[in-house]
Amino acid sequence: MDRISYADSDEDSDMRVTSAASNVIVNAAPDVSTEDLKAQQYLPGATSLEISHNIPYQDLIRPLNGPSNPFQNQAKLQKNILTGYIEPHAMSDILFDNMHRTFTTHGYTVDVETGRTVGDTNRAREMQGEILKFRSRNQFSLILYSGVLINDKTPNAKKTKRKSAGKSSDVEGFKGPWAGYEGEEVGPTPTPVEVIEEEEPMDPELLAAIKRNDKEEGLGSEKSIFHGKNMTDYLGRTYMHVPTDLDVDLLGELGTKECYIPKKLIHTWTGHTKAVNAIRFFPKSAHLLLSASVDTKVKLWDVYHERKCLRTFMGHSKAVRDICFTNDGRKFLSASYDKYMKLWDTETGQCISSFTTKKIPFCIKFNPDEDKQNIFLAGCADKKVYQFDINSGEITQEYDQHLGAVNTITFVDDNRRFITTSDDKTLRAWEFDIPVVIKYVAEPSMHSMPAVTLHPNNKWMACQSLDNQIFIYSARDRFRMHRKKVFKGHLVAGYACQPNFSPDGRFVMSGDSSGNLWFWDWKTSRILRKFKAHDNVLIGCEWHPHETSKVATCSWDSTIK
């Protein structure tokens, strides 16, 4: 009888694992193909990310074979520009520009690789263009017909010597880096007139016309025409005298009477031949009206009695942009696109003085203080605000923080500060006579505000925004926007339509691009009335300070109503 032994099941399992582990062979070397690559070439696909063969470099740089796949995504192609691939080439920017300019002008250039002339060779011979000793890549000289050397990399070329810079202790003789080179002739830069005369003699008549035009733009050619019969009445009073034979007290206090919206047209002033840019009532009494037009003229009109043009001021050679009275109205300033600002005598029509910054002035404003009536500010196209002194005729201060042309100047806070708006879509506040911005207002949603008017209570100011809205800003310390008071409904995008207030402050009015006149309620911001006033853009409007329901408007249809 056979002897049978029984073992534990756990012991058997351990014995089996041990015997199986002893039969496993571990090979740490990776699998490598032993095929001869010379006999069989392996070309990976364009989209392959891994290569299991050691491929020679010559095979890696080979182009793709076979037809192009029409369904291939164009985004997977290797491009360094939008339309394809440009091979980089070692060439200086100056050499490339000169070669390109030569090819576009004369039709020939030179191949950098071979040094041969490319393009119209006959033209190159005619223009005497030649290629000097071609030595190696990017080392050649190309001479144009004008004798100007485009590129010369001659290795044995001699460098010009610098002149002595001098000693720094010698104040007058020290030249430093401006000493120049030996043999260099440095002279004064010729003026544009000299250059024109050297290239081609100018027509004497044309030269005389230019000089005559320059003389007319300067001081001395201004004049004025009086359109009335007599300068004075039987008592020796001129039109500057405030009339007292009217039902209205023109010397009364401003803003004491309740105002109403006008309903009908009373009178139309015609005399300008082109668009009227601005109108201003005579200070305090408003018995005269001053207008500035694109026809280069400034006219003074009679508001009462015969309502005719009293005097025409002529002295500008281009359109008049803005006008401004002094506090007493005896003088006024006119700013024109001929870059001149001129001071006129309202009564005699004489031009007192002329000012210029060689830049176009967009707005002018006298300082309202009685003791500073000899100072005015001018916002110009060169992003600066200039402060002039009439007595000396010199610029006494410059405010140059804006990034665009200055459009408006508004005095606030008892004339100690002033607000400027610009084409850079910002509003900045300044201390008078201190060229430092004390408040900077700029928001991403802001548009340019080319027209600003102060409220009669001097606490708020209305800013005409080019997004067809009138915004209200505080005229006190913080200059914040009153977000609950926004007047809209009109269309003024692209036009500097001047907003205005009624003397009692109850109404806001403005023109629009269609010639309509709009009225809003100051408290509720609701539209009260709108009517057609002009046939073209209504650019300016002024409320009479003493008449409760009289408004003067000017338009680009050359009329004043």
Side-chain angles (χ1 to χ4, degrees):
M1 185 174 179
D2 296 335
R3 188 176 179 179
I4 301 174
S5 62
Y6 296 92
D8 190 15
S9 61
D10 293 336
E11 295 178 357
D12 292 342
S13 63
D14 294 339
M15 293 174 63
R16 286 196 298 267
V17 171
T18 306
S19 62
S22 61
N23 296 329
V24 176
I25 299 174
V26 179
N27 187 6
D31 294 336
V32 179
S33 177
T34 59
E35 296 181 1
D36 188 6
L37 295 179
K38 296 181 180 180
Q40 183 179 1
Q41 294 180 350
Y42 174 76
L43 299 179
T47 59
S48 299
L49 301 179
E50 294 182 359
I51 298 176
S52 59
H53 293 73
N54 295 329
I55 302 175
Y57 178 73
Q58 290 77 10
D59 294 341
L60 286 175
I61 63 175
R62 286 187 179 185
L64 296 177
N65 294 330
S68 60
N69 185 4
F71 303 102
Q72 184 179 8
N73 188 7
Q74 297 294 325
K76 293 183 179 179
L77 297 178
Q78 295 180 357
K79 296 182 179 181
N80 55 5
I81 62 171
L82 182 62
T83 57
Y85 178 77
I86 294 181
E87 181 182 357
H89 192 85
M91 180 187 295
S92 64
D93 295 338
I94 298 176
L95 177 59
F96 176 80
D97 293 339
N98 290 332
M99 293 174 62
H100 181 265
R101 191 179 301 111
T102 306
F103 184 79
T104 55
T105 305
H106 303 294
Y108 70 91
T109 183
V110 64
D111 187 2
V112 180
E113 296 288 344
T114 62
R116 297 177 182 177
T117 303
V118 180
D120 191 355
T121 56
N122 296 328
R123 180 66 173 174
R125 295 192 192 98
E126 292 176 3
M127 304 306 297
Q128 299 180 358
E130 60 177 348
I131 303 171
L132 301 182
K133 298 177 181 179
F134 178 74
R135 293 176 288 274
S136 61
R137 186 174 180 177
N138 286 341
Q139 293 185 3
F140 57 88
S141 299
L142 179 62
I143 299 179
L144 288 179
Y145 72 97
S146 60
V148 179
L149 190 63
I150 291 182
N151 186 28
D152 188 5
K153 294 187 178 180
T154 305
N156 298 326
K158 295 182 179 179
K159 295 183 179 180
T160 55
K161 294 183 178 180
R162 294 291 298 265
K163 295 181 181 179
S164 176
K167 296 181 179 180
S168 59
S169 59
D170 186 3
V171 179
E172 296 181 357
F174 179 70
K175 297 180 180 179
W178 300 275
Y181 296 87
E182 293 182 357
E184 182 182 16
E185 295 181 0
V186 180
T189 304
T191 60
V193 177
E194 293 175 355
V195 173
I196 293 175
E197 290 179 354
E198 291 176 3
E199 294 179 355
E200 183 179 353
M202 184 179 289
D203 187 5
E205 296 182 359
L206 180 60
L207 186 60
I210 293 176
K211 292 181 179 179
R212 193 184 317 115
N213 188 25
D214 293 341
K215 184 177 180 182
E216 289 177 357
E217 289 183 358
L219 184 62
S221 61
E222 301 86 357
K223 63 179 181 179
S224 65
I225 301 175
F226 178 69
H227 300 286
K229 295 181 180 179
N230 298 316
M231 280 288 297
T232 58
D233 57 5
Y234 68 98
L235 293 177
R237 300 174 298 187
T238 64
Y239 53 72
M240 298 287 291
H241 175 71
V242 180
T244 56
D245 55 345
L246 303 172
D247 297 336
V248 181
D249 183 15
L250 299 180
L251 298 177
E253 187 177 355
L254 303 179
T256 55
K257 298 181 180 179
E258 188 176 0
C259 297
Y260 302 93
I261 299 175
K263 295 182 178 180
K264 64 179 181 179
L265 177 64
I266 300 176
H267 183 73
T268 301
W269 286 281
T270 58
H272 287 293
T273 58
K274 294 183 179 180
V276 182
N277 279 332
I279 54 175
R280 299 288 184 270
F281 274 118
F282 192 85
K284 298 179 181 179
S285 62
H287 68 287
L288 300 175
L289 182 67
L290 192 68
S291 63
S293 173
V294 179
D295 61 6
T296 72
K297 298 176 182 178
V298 179
K299 290 181 178 290
L300 188 66
W301 310 85
D302 187 11
V303 178
Y304 298 98
H305 300 120
E306 297 181 357
R307 292 197 176 99
K308 293 183 178 180
C309 179
L310 298 176
R311 188 179 288 276
T312 301
F313 303 86
M314 296 176 292
H316 291 288
S317 60
K318 292 184 180 180
V320 183
R321 166 78 184 206
D322 195 15
I323 46 179
C324 182
F325 272 113
T326 56
N327 287 353
D328 56 4
R330 295 188 175 275
K331 300 174 185 177
F332 71 88
L333 274 169
S334 62
S336 171
Y337 283 97
D338 62 4
K339 305 177 184 179
Y340 278 88
M341 296 161 284
K342 300 191 177 184
L343 182 66
W344 303 82
D345 189 303
T346 310
E347 184 173 2
T348 63
Q350 178 185 2
C351 182
I352 301 173
S353 57
S354 178
F355 312 90
T356 183
T357 61
K358 300 301 181 181
K359 301 294 180 181
I360 299 176
F362 285 151
C363 56
I364 48 176
K365 184 75 69 173
F366 273 104
N367 191 316
D369 286 341
E370 291 295 338
D371 58 343
K372 297 178 182 176
Q373 286 294 285
N374 61 322
I375 297 175
F376 73 90
L377 301 179
C380 298
D382 61 347
K383 314 170 189 177
K384 295 182 181 180
V385 178
Y386 294 92
Q387 180 176 313
F388 284 88
D389 189 349
I390 293 175
N391 298 334
S392 62
E394 297 179 353
I395 299 175
T396 58
Q397 192 60 269
E398 290 185 8
Y399 309 85
D400 58 351
Q401 296 294 320
H402 273 293
L403 303 178
V406 182
N407 292 322
T408 64
I409 300 173
T410 308
F411 280 90
V412 296
D413 197 10
D414 297 330
N415 307 323
R416 293 178 300 176
R417 301 170 180 172
F418 64 92
I419 307 294
T420 58
T421 61
S422 169
D423 285 344
D424 60 6
K425 303 179 183 180
T426 62
L427 182 146
R428 300 172 194 249
W430 314 73
E431 290 280 355
F432 181 73
D433 210 14
I434 301 176
V436 178
V437 176
I438 61 173
K439 184 67 175 181
Y440 173 80
V441 180
E443 297 179 5
S445 60
M446 284 180 61
H447 288 68
S448 178
M449 297 181 290
V452 178
T453 302
L454 194 64
H455 193 274
N457 62 10
N458 297 329
K459 294 181 180 179
W460 308 96
M461 54 185 180
C463 303
Q464 183 80 267
S465 178
L466 290 186
D467 60 348
N468 305 320
Q469 299 182 90
I470 299 178
F471 294 108
I472 305 300
Y473 284 86
S474 172
R476 295 298 180 181
D477 292 335
R478 297 191 175 182
F479 305 104
R480 289 186 175 180
M481 179 192 297
H482 197 318
R483 301 191 180 275
K484 294 185 179 180
K485 284 189 182 296
V486 179
F487 305 91
K488 52 189 175 181
H490 58 318
L491 185 65
V492 294
Y495 301 96
C497 297
Q498 183 73 34
N500 216 314
F501 293 95
S502 60
D504 59 357
R506 294 174 54 231
F507 303 111
V508 181
M509 67 173 177
S510 172
D512 68 358
S513 59
S514 302
N516 300 317
L517 187 61
W518 296 71
F519 293 90
W520 293 270
D521 184 69
W522 168 253
K523 290 185 178 180
T524 62
S525 303
R526 293 186 300 176
I527 300 174
L528 298 179
R529 193 177 181 191
K530 162 205 165 185
F531 58 85
K532 185 74 172 180
H534 289 272
D535 297 331
N536 208 328
V537 181
L538 199 159
I539 200 70
C541 54
E542 292 278 332
W543 204 302
H544 197 284
H546 299 287
E547 298 273 7
T548 57
S549 61
K550 280 188 179 180
V551 174
T553 60
C554 65
S555 169
W556 283 6
D557 60 3
S558 72
T559 61
I560 304 171
K561 298 183 180 181

